[in-house]
Amino acid sequence: MTRPSDHIDSTPGSNASPVGLGFGGYLRWFWRQLTSMRVAILLLLLLAVAAIPGSILPQRGADPNGVTQYQSQNPDLFKVLDAFPIQAFDVYSSVWFSAIYLLLFVSLIGCVLPRTKHHWQAMRSRPPRTPSRLGRMAGFTETELRNDEATAAEAAQVAEQAVEQARGLLKRQRYRTEVYRQGQSVSVSAERGYLRETGNLVFHGALVGVLITVGLGGGFGYQGQRTLVEGETNVNALIDYDSFTPGRFFDDSSLPPFSVRLDTFDVTYVTPDDGKPAALGQATDFTAHVTVFDTDGTERKETVKVNQPLRINGTNIYLLGNGYAPTITVRNAEGVSVFHESVPFLPQGADLTSLGVLKIPYGLGEEQVGMMGFFYPTQVELESGAYSSNYPDLINPLLTLDVFTGDLGINDGVPQSVYSLNQDKLTKLTGRGTEKKSLELRIGDTVDLPNGLGTVTLDAVPRFVSFDLHQNPAQGWVLFFALLATTGLLTSLFIPRRRVWVKATPVEGGVRIEYAALARGDDPTLEGAVADLVAKHRESLG
Amino acid sequence: MGVTLPLPRVAAEFAVDSTTVLETFEQYSQMSLFSALLVYALAFIFFAVDLANRAGSDAEPVVGDGGVRVRSRAERIGFSLTVLGWLFHLAATVVRGIDAGRVPWANMYEFALTATLAIVAVFIIIQFFYDMRFLGTLVTGLTLVFLGVARVNFFRASMPLPPALDSYWLVIHIMVAVVAVGFLTLSLGLSIAQLMQARRERILGAQGLATTAAASDLGSGWSASESGAAAGGSTATLTRAPADGSGTPPRAPFAFLRSFPNADSLENLSYRMVIIGFVFWTFTLIAGSIWAEHAWGRYWGWDTKEVWTFIIWVLYAGYIHARATRGWRGSRSAWLCIIAYSTVIFNFTIVNLFFKGLHAYSGL
């Protein structure tokens, strides 16, 4: 079996039912079904449909926050959808999605292997015998070389000559040729375009390559996130990451021990002088200037930009996010520093109004203290009296803080986000809903905390950058196979595969020459090619 | 990062004089766009008149020397207007790019501008190879709708590129994508025509007017190519008088299709457009993956836009297989082509506007 039996170019066979063939027969029947074109189409359509839910529901891989949000909004439905066989939040690694594409690939391999064998044989065999009747083939043309005085022997010689000429022409057009004789007739049978089927097989084979390398890359790679404030350093070790996701076969000890320091982070904004009022404040460039301390002890300056990752020792460093990290010092009533950190504040919009949280469990009186506040890089007052920022750069920076005391809820071992404050067991001391105004600090300001707890100082406002560090040892191979597949696709779709015949038969008073061709698959230029051959052949015969 | 919502500005200190030179660029672009819309609308009318003429009950298709159909005056005017409209359209797009100081495809309005430009460009260029002017109503009609909706609902003043889009891959990725859409749009038109023609042929066949479908009993996987018929306007078989000579004129729906290629030829043409579009779509996928690796650190992450690009690719792969499968060639594969194209439109509209994901560049 070379092509699936329901391929348009194969002869219809009778393989309709498994009845009466026993277990082996049933298996063969099943295999034939699986490798049929019909089933391939159905699996492709099924794959397309199965991919849809993953674009509607948030996925853990692409949008983990969306999944958390969905869970808190629809807790009951979430449990059902997230249960094992449904796996609606991991669609692309779910059993049902995997089953479809694995079946598709089994079907593909089952189809491609026998065809490869057949194609290998076809490439090494001669073009098949010229059909006895060419009249119904594409581009059929008939001419006669007339010479009423020619003897039969002369006519036979002319026929031989004509076919030899045609063979030469076809060979120059890179046809493989074979001369056949049948009765009085002599003919050349020519075939070209084997590359069409080769391309087809390469395309499908390369897809298998893509699948395998995608799997390997995911298994042996890792990805980690790290937020760095200007001046901070990340060491490429597990402990130094904010989050780390290794592949299934990833070995921790294979992390190359380099480190990266964020020196400065430069942002270019559209300013009022740029004449683009609608785009005012839009960032046009982010550049992180870093120092790399390489494994061999050398250090060098590098930059990381949004579309220009830094590639070190097979690890790629990507710039994915940024914001402000106000440096805040908190002192107790005695003036002793109990907190001194640059706290990353999460940007809430394009103007970088940012929200941040400080947690000070010890050192300020009896109770734990939490603070939550907004940072406005260019603070303005709205008509309502509320504050806002209307430009993302530090033109008129202001930090506001609300102070809470009580239990931060961090002692029971439940992991908490550093960006949120659990207010269940906290008492609010300043800000909306209390008698005191929120604390307001500009750079360099020190203000008193309520209840004589101490003071808080805004020392400076450096920027922070969140970097992603990835390693995917197979991604170059994925690209290689993808490009190989494309090459195969181009060849299989656009190289015509055709057979051409030129037959010469001595007849009464001359030699009859017939031309005809046949295409496999779509071949828009076949007739033109035959007409061209006829013209050239006539010319060569004089 | 990459969030570019134009929020209202309140600070007086940043007020900018709004009568700058750059704004007049935008005005030129708009003027040119409205001219293009007007001319396309006229072209649409002429193409529609041409279709109506083709349906005329006693009009035999006019066949000139060499069996090539002589084009009607309405069709020639319609096509000339399409070319003129395209020039205005091109000017509008180029000026928009000059205004923005970058390629004119970085938000929803500009995507629509460029994609329709590519659709009409492919439609014009393909006429040098195959006569598909009969798709004029569809192409100009679709373009009018897309451009009109985009102008009314998606228009935004041009903005500089956000860092996330600031890459040469923006040029490559989007360019191959819009060219793919151009070819796939033609295949849509051809598949629709194919379905109608197939129905017409069925009904005519039932009336004893079977078309001269070439028998393909050549065996062992070889079949004669019908390509000669495909290259525009081989049609006469459908309008002959009934074989029994009774003189009763044939009755079948879609009379304007009498001068269209037959269903088989339409299918071949549609398939050819799809395979070209499919190759460009494959490049779109690969270029997008390489860019995604540069920008987001992974070449594939099942982002919503990636999912739909994948779905489109798989559906057209299905179509290409269907063409080579007994029982699927013909009307079934034509339906598949139409479904696949509808996912292209879905990907551009619904996914861009309503789905959450990393490709949040609509600028709305």
Side-chain angles (χ1 to χ4, degrees), chain A residues 80-148:
Chain A
V80 178
L81 291 177
D82 197 37
F84 166 64
I86 302 179
Q87 296 168 290
F89 302 98
D90 300 290
V91 165
Y92 306 106
S93 53
S94 68
V95 277
W96 46 276
F97 190 81
S98 310
I100 295 170
Y101 75 75
L102 288 177
L103 267 181
L104 189 62
F105 272 93
V106 170
S107 162
L108 184 158
I109 293 167
C111 179
V112 161
L113 283 183
R115 278 178 78 157
T116 308
K117 181 167 168 248
H118 178 260
H119 184 54
W120 176 251
Q121 286 161 350
M123 280 199 298
R124 289 145 50 95
S125 59
R126 306 183 304 169
R129 184 164 284 280
T130 309
S132 49
R133 298 211 328 251
L134 294 176
R136 299 181 70 179
M137 304 292 177
F140 176 71
T141 312
E142 197 174 5
T143 57
E144 261 186 44
L145 298 174
R146 299 220 52 92
N147 183 356
D148 291 331

Side-chain angles (χ1 to χ4, degrees), chain B:
Chain B
M1 187 183 301
V3 182
T4 59
L5 295 173
L7 299 174
R9 314 281 157 176
V10 290
E13 61 197 282
F14 290 126
V16 172
D17 182 11
S18 60
T19 54
T20 53
V21 183
L22 292 173
E23 280 225 334
T24 59
F25 267 130
E26 188 56 60
Q27 283 158 5
Y28 281 123
S29 172
Q30 290 305 303
M31 215 166 67
S32 199
L33 177 66
F34 286 124
S35 311
L37 285 171
L38 185 71
V39 178
Y40 281 146
L42 287 173
F44 175 79
I45 292 169
F46 277 99
F47 279 126
V49 167
D50 172 58
L51 284 192
N53 285 343
R54 287 169 187 246
S57 58
D58 49 13
E60 282 285 315
V62 188
V63 177
D65 290 340
V68 177
R69 199 177 63 82
V70 174
R71 286 187 275 280
S72 78
R73 172 187 278 195
E75 192 190 72
R76 277 182 286 135
I77 295 175
F79 189 71
S80 307
L81 286 173
T82 308
V83 175
L84 181 66
W86 185 78
L87 291 174
F88 279 120
H89 190 169
L90 178 70
T93 314
V94 169
V95 173
R96 171 83 181 189
I98 295 172
D99 179 29
R102 53 169 170 74
V103 287
W105 51 77
N107 61 39
M108 195 71 181
Y109 166 69
E110 293 171 353
F111 292 145
L113 201 61
T114 314
T116 46
L117 187 73
I119 291 172
V120 181
V122 170
F123 172 68
I124 292 172
I125 291 168
I126 207 75
Q127 309 304 334
F128 290 105
F129 303 92
Y130 305 105
D131 182 4
M132 287 188 205
R133 289 174 176 80
F134 57 84
L135 292 180
T137 28
L138 178 94
V139 170
T140 51
L142 269 184
T143 302
L144 272 174
V145 171
F146 287 165
L147 272 182
V149 169
R151 176 63 187 83
V152 172
N153 295 314
F154 305 148
F155 181 77
R156 289 290 180 274
S158 73
M159 305 275 276
L161 279 186
L165 288 183
D166 189 5
S167 165
Y168 54 88
W169 287 104
L170 174 69
V171 182
I172 303 167
H173 178 55
I174 303 297
M175 205 164 350
V176 289
V178 296
V179 172
V181 170
F183 281 100
L184 297 178
T185 304
L186 293 186
S187 81
L188 167 81
L190 292 162
S191 287
I192 294 172
Q194 176 200 339
L195 282 175
M196 296 198 292
Q197 188 70 286
R199 182 171 151 76
R200 183 176 155 78
E201 285 171 9
R202 236 182 356 263
I203 292 166
L204 286 172
Q207 295 171 18
L209 287 155
T211 58
T212 53
S216 78
D217 54 351
L218 299 157
S220 72
W222 292 81
S223 64
S225 165
E226 302 114 325
S227 60
S234 84
T235 54
T237 48
L238 290 180
T239 49
R240 284 189 315 219
D244 59 8
S246 68
T248 327
R251 299 205 164 275
F254 315 126
F256 65 92
L257 290 175
R258 66 173 54 184
S259 60
F260 276 39
N262 63 32
D264 277 349
S265 304
L266 287 168
E267 181 173 0
N268 285 337
L269 279 179
S270 179
Y271 172 74
R272 263 163 234 161
M273 295 305 105
V274 168
I275 56 177
I276 300 171
F278 183 71
V279 168
F280 276 101
W281 198 255
T282 309
F283 278 119
T284 306
L285 255 175
I286 294 176
S289 298
I290 298 174
W291 188 12
E293 194 279 328
H294 287 335
W296 300 322
R298 82 292 184 292
Y299 55 84
W300 193 264
W302 297 106
D303 178 59
T304 46
K305 195 86 182 179
E306 293 172 349
V307 171
W308 280 92
T309 303
F310 171 77
I311 290 173
I312 292 165
W313 192 85
V314 168
L315 285 177
Y316 277 110
Y319 169 81
I320 292 173
H321 282 82
R323 266 270 313 183
T325 305
R326 203 172 294 122
W328 278 80
R329 188 174 273 202
S331 295
R332 259 195 194 182
S333 68
W335 277 113
L336 200 47
C337 181
I338 292 169
I339 291 169
Y341 188 79
S342 63
T343 59
V344 174
I345 298 300
F346 185 86
N347 192 28
F348 177 67
T349 54
I350 308 294
V351 174
N352 276 11
L353 296 173
F354 301 109
F355 282 36
K356 193 180 161 195
L358 290 167
H359 288 76
Y361 305 124
S362 67
L364 302 177

Side-chain angles (χ1 to χ4, degrees), chain A residues 243-273:
Chain A
S243 74
F244 192 85
T245 319
R248 195 169 301 171
F249 314 112
F250 179 72
D251 175 10
D252 299 348
S253 61
S254 69
L255 279 178
F258 63 85
S259 53
V260 177
R261 184 179 68 212
L262 175 64
D263 299 324
T264 55
F265 181 64
D266 295 343
V267 186
T268 312
Y269 294 110
V270 176
T271 68
D273 303 333

Side-chain angles (χ1 to χ4, degrees), chain A residues 19 54 125 142 151 161 171 196 204 216 239 304 362 365 367 375 424 447-448 511 528 530:
Chain A
V19 180
S125 59
E142 197 174 5
T151 61
Q161 230 170 7
K171 275 203 150 160
R196 185 184 182 91
H204 287 91
L216 287 179
I239 190 153
V304 189
Y362 312 109
E367 292 184 299
F375 177 72
D424 292 351
V447 299
D448 288 334
V511 175
V530 178

